[in-house]
Amino acid sequence: MDFQLNEDQEFIRKTAREFAEKQVKPTAAERDEKKEWPAEIVKKMGELGFMGVAVSEEYGGAGLDYVSYAIVIEELSRVDASVGVIASVNNSLVCYGIEKFGTEEQKREILTPLASGQKLGAFSLSEPGAGSDAAAQKTIAVRDGDYYIINGIKNWVTNGSEADTILLMAMTDPTKGHRGISAFLVDTHQPGVSVVKVEDKLGIRSAHSAQMAYDNYRIHKSRMLGEEGQGFKIAMTILNAGRIGIAAQAVGIAQGAYEAALEYAKIREQFGQPIIQFEAVGFTLADMATRIKAARMLTWHAAWKKDRGENYIADASMAKLFASETAMWTATKSIQVHGSNGYSKEYPVERFFRDAKITEIYEGTSEIQRLVISREIAR
Ligand code: CAA
């Protein structure tokens, strides 16, 4: 096994680091405070190939591998987890799904503008009554000739209020349970789909999460992704890949919180010496560095298995579970190292702390990851 990043991976890491430092970090705190959508940053990410990192060049992507994708999401999230998740949703929850399950026409017409960043995608599975129990879909799609008519309410649609395309799951046959769910590629510029509200959240505040309503939304059958009844399987397959993205986001948040604590501990003096020289602080930083390295290795390993075409379901869930709990732990400890200053908005760690929490929740809670892992290892 080779632990060396290849030239492409090193190059994309350097490019993403520079972009994150120069163009994302300076405005991150203000955008968080104002819940401001980073329109310019999203546009630039498209130009740099960050919106379709692992999509083939033929369909507008950067044509790199999934390890490269994890690296990009980590670097963005190291300074701003909101920007990290905006890119992650477009890459793995939308582009990956269309490239894997789409028709040639869907790939040319819908995937290409999404992967090249000219358009933005969102993924819509969750409903007020369908969170962890994702199969409990109430949104309904009724066949009407060559069209389907969609009605229902979706929530927690990351990118939803800004998206051009939404990969939507809806029930086409309620008598069949999860096998009655189908996936659609919704054009948000058509009538019948609207934003009910953008949530006011604890963290990742500049990434918008919308509640959306479908009111007799009419969609042609050519915009169904995969076959009728395949939607749940498609959603689960997409989420396997998405969980690598969230693991990478969590590694980035943890890394940002750790670097802030390290820097602070070197300059903050108490009792006549920098606090890093106190064993309590030095050992905390040692534990942070160790856990982050382990989380990154799990994430890259899951991505590497995906790149090799191996089954990575448990690996993605392990990476997401461990990395998200590492992010929360590291951010909490980083505030502790900062003392009262860590509790203040003058320092970035309170934002890392607020942003870290969602990584233990979305794309499957930690409890769901443990369920997935336990089922996989019991096979
Ligand atoms: N990969 C591929 N297929 C899978 C799968 C996986 N990880 N998990 C289940 N499936 C398949 C099964 O093989 C089965 O297929 P068949 O029809 O051939 O039998 C089918 O899906 C049903 O599986 P289960 O019987 O296991 O379904 P379940 O209802 O018992 O449990 C669950 C499924 C794992 C709990 C699932 O509901 C789940 O993952 N829940 C969490 C939902 C989630 O992650 N939501 C995230 C929302 S999106 C989001 O957060 C985006 C964002 O904002 C950034």
Side-chain angles (χ1 to χ4, degrees):
M1 186 177 284
D2 189 356
F3 287 98
Q4 182 86 35
L5 295 182
N6 66 32
E7 255 179 47
D8 282 346
Q9 292 161 347
E10 282 294 0
F11 179 75
I12 197 97
R13 179 189 267 298
K14 193 166 163 286
T15 310
R17 171 71 62 111
E18 273 175 24
F19 173 75
E21 282 290 330
K22 288 193 187 134
Q23 316 226 26
V24 182
K25 190 174 175 179
T27 53
E30 191 183 341
R31 281 185 287 99
D32 168 72
E33 180 72 28
K34 294 182 178 162
K35 291 203 295 177
E36 190 181 303
W37 176 260
E40 264 311 296
I41 289 171
V42 173
K43 190 163 162 268
K44 284 179 190 154
M45 288 200 294
E47 289 159 10
L48 287 166
F50 294 171
M51 298 305 272
V53 180
V55 175
S56 62
E57 288 171 287
E58 190 187 350
Y59 300 119
L64 299 173
D65 58 13
Y66 234 68
V67 173
S68 304
Y69 163 61
I71 289 170
V72 169
I73 300 302
E74 178 188 332
E75 290 298 334
L76 297 171
S77 305
R78 176 179 157 273
V79 302
D80 185 353
S82 291
V83 168
V85 75
I86 291 167
S88 177
V89 164
N90 194 73
N91 273 273
S92 46
L93 296 190
V94 187
C95 290
Y96 165 68
I98 304 175
E99 190 162 34
K100 185 163 177 67
F101 297 103
T103 61
E104 186 53 35
E105 192 189 346
Q106 288 169 344
K107 288 184 206 174
R108 269 189 287 105
E109 287 178 15
I110 305 173
L111 173 59
T112 304
L114 291 171
S116 57
Q118 286 155 312
K119 290 194 172 176
L120 183 72
F123 174 86
S124 189
L125 174 69
S126 302
E127 296 184 358
S132 290
D133 184 7
Q137 298 284 308
K138 289 274 179 285
T139 297
I140 188 128
V142 177
R143 185 82 188 243
D144 178 22
D146 284 346
Y147 288 81
Y148 287 84
I149 311 293
I150 302 180
N151 281 286
I153 296 280
K154 289 282 177 181
N155 61 357
W156 298 111
V157 192
T158 309
N159 295 354
S161 50
E162 323 291 327
D164 301 283
T165 302
I166 298 179
L167 202 168
L168 171 86
M169 260 52 68
M171 195 57 104
T172 41
D173 187 348
T175 64
K176 291 191 178 150
H178 75 264
R179 292 192 183 136
I181 295 169
S182 303
F184 296 89
L185 295 167
V186 166
D187 176 351
T188 61
H189 305 292
Q190 297 300 317
V193 54
S194 60
V195 175
V196 179
K197 62 170 174 172
V198 173
E199 302 289 344
D200 194 6
K201 298 176 298 189
L202 174 72
I204 55 159
R205 288 169 56 81
S206 98
H208 292 171
S209 310
Q211 185 173 82
M212 306 196 65
Y214 290 82
D215 181 12
N216 290 325
Y217 179 84
R218 208 170 142 79
I219 186 166
H220 193 263
K221 64 178 187 190
S222 63
R223 291 186 76 104
M224 178 177 277
L225 185 66
E227 304 288 317
E228 191 170 295
Q230 260 190 354
F232 192 72
K233 199 93 177 173
I234 289 175
M236 290 298 113
T237 305
I238 288 174
L239 282 168
N240 295 330
R243 286 166 186 163
I244 297 177
I246 300 307
Q249 184 198 26
V251 172
I253 296 169
Q255 181 69 29
Y258 158 70
E259 286 177 25
L262 181 63
E263 194 183 317
Y264 186 82
K266 283 180 184 167
I267 54 167
R268 171 74 173 172
E269 292 194 3
Q270 288 290 275
F271 304 103
Q273 61 180 28
I275 61 169
I276 197 166
Q277 286 173 18
F278 291 105
E279 197 173 79
V281 175
F283 280 18
T284 300
L285 289 161
D287 283 344
M288 286 182 187
T290 306
R291 291 189 194 196
I292 293 167
K293 194 160 201 171
R296 184 178 294 114
M297 288 299 123
L298 278 174
T299 306
W300 287 3
H301 184 247
W304 175 80
K305 280 184 86 171
K306 182 178 183 307
D307 285 329
R308 287 162 60 95
E310 294 179 25
N311 181 334
Y312 65 96
I313 295 176
D315 302 270
S317 284
M318 286 175 183
K320 200 244 181 209
L321 172 64
F322 188 79
S324 60
E325 293 189 349
T326 296
M328 199 63 234
W329 182 84
T330 305
T332 307
K333 289 291 183 189
S334 182
I335 291 185
Q336 197 68 18
V337 169
H338 282 76
S340 307
N341 284 334
Y343 206 64
S344 154
K345 285 190 187 284
E346 290 291 312
Y347 289 79
V349 285
E350 64 82 33
R351 177 166 54 86
F352 288 124
F353 173 82
R354 288 185 287 103
D355 288 350
K357 186 62 207 170
I358 193 61
T359 66
E360 293 181 321
I361 298 172
Y362 60 16
E363 299 201 27
T365 60
S366 292
E367 292 74 13
I368 291 295
Q369 305 313 324
R370 288 186 168 91
L371 176 75
V372 171
I373 297 162
S374 65
R375 283 179 178 180
E376 287 294 308
I377 59 179
R379 276 182 206 284

